Amino acid sequence: MSEARGVLLPAYVLVDESASMGPYVDDLSAGLVSLCEELRAAPMLAAKLRLAVLGFSDDVRVHLAVADMRQETNLPRVTVRGSTNYGAAFSDLAGRIPTDVRFLRDQGYKVHRPVVFFLSDGQPTDFGWKRALGKLTDRQRMPAAPNIIACGMGTAQRQTIAEVASRPEFGFIAQRGADLGRAISEFFHALTASLIASSQALNSDHPQLVVTRPEGFSIVLDEVTP
């Protein structure tokens, strides 16, 4: 059997593009540009990552497929439209991630569990989102089920973000009344730091996902129910 070409961490940036994000579209685009430029400036680390950028509203739009940022020349830019359909986002990932992982493995790479960085400024407007999330995160039915880092701001509720996050320490909520433009900037700073640190850890004896808390966000706690 031939040796693997290396190890990869597929990372998905999933951002809310609903109409309420309209005033902050420039902040979202600036954050994405900054992320891509930071990865390009660290080619040894970028070599271990494959980055995808998706925007969700009534549907999902692909702004960047799983890309090697050492070679990618296009910069993703978001657009805003429609409502906040969480289910559309999670259903898309449930179909997309296994295909991407299979493609990378077929290229000869070892692939670590994908990670999704989720950002929303509001509550889901659809009723089936929990079912879609359950399918995405069911590791028995979907071995490549991702870790989800969920960040909420604006009218997003703590309990909702806690449910989206795949682990309690992976859910973050911005302070009430926080400037959303600043919150978006801090989300991308933390995302970049998390990816760089995780990439550094991939070839260690103990590879791990490193998650940085965005400045101005707190860890959400889910409610214990009977």
Side-chain angles (χ1 to χ4, degrees), residues 43-132:
M44 294 295 288
L45 299 179
K48 302 173 188 176
L49 301 172
R50 291 296 182 269
L51 182 68
V53 177
L54 310 173
F56 75 94
S57 178
D58 296 320
D59 57 6
V60 173
R61 294 184 180 177
V62 181
H63 300 298
L64 190 68
V66 281
D68 183 342
M69 294 312 299
R70 299 170 300 169
Q71 302 171 0
E72 184 64 40
T73 57
N74 294 324
L75 292 174
R77 291 192 64 85
V78 301
T79 56
V80 294
R81 65 206 188 280
S83 58
T84 311
N85 192 321
Y86 280 24
F90 300 143
S91 294
D92 180 272
L93 285 175
R96 183 179 305 278
I97 287 177
T99 301
D100 289 344
V101 169
R102 187 161 51 248
F103 169 75
L104 295 173
R105 293 183 67 182
D106 286 347
Q107 289 185 317
Y109 292 101
K110 291 182 178 180
V111 181
H112 283 276
R113 184 170 303 281
V115 58
V116 174
F117 292 88
F118 173 92
L119 177 67
S120 178
D121 77 327
Q123 285 293 100
T125 54
D126 57 307
F127 294 103
W129 70 271
K130 291 185 181 181
R131 188 181 309 110

Side-chain angles (χ1 to χ4, degrees), residues 129-130 133 137 150 158-166 220 222:
W129 70 271
K130 291 185 181 181
L133 177 63
T137 56
R158 303 180 72 91
Q159 183 64 23
T160 301
I161 297 302
E163 290 183 70
V164 173
S166 55
V220 298
D222 57 331

Side-chain angles (χ1 to χ4, degrees), residues 3 43 65 96 115 141 151 162-163 166 180 206 211 215 221 225:
E3 275 191 39
R96 183 179 305 278
V115 58
R141 295 186 178 182
C151 294
E163 290 183 70
S166 55
L180 297 195
H206 304 285
V211 178
E215 186 71 27
L221 295 176
T225 56

Side-chain angles (χ1 to χ4, degrees), residues 32-44:
L32 288 168
V33 169
S34 175
L35 167 64
C36 293
E37 290 180 344
E38 289 275 359
L39 293 178
R40 287 175 180 171
M44 294 295 288

Side-chain angles (χ1 to χ4, degrees), residues 1 24 46 57 79 87 111-112 122 140 144 146 182 198 207 209 211 216 218:
M1 180 180 293
Y24 311 103
S57 178
T79 56
V111 181
H112 283 276
Q140 290 189 330
R182 175 66 182 274
S198 297
L209 176 64
V211 178
S218 59

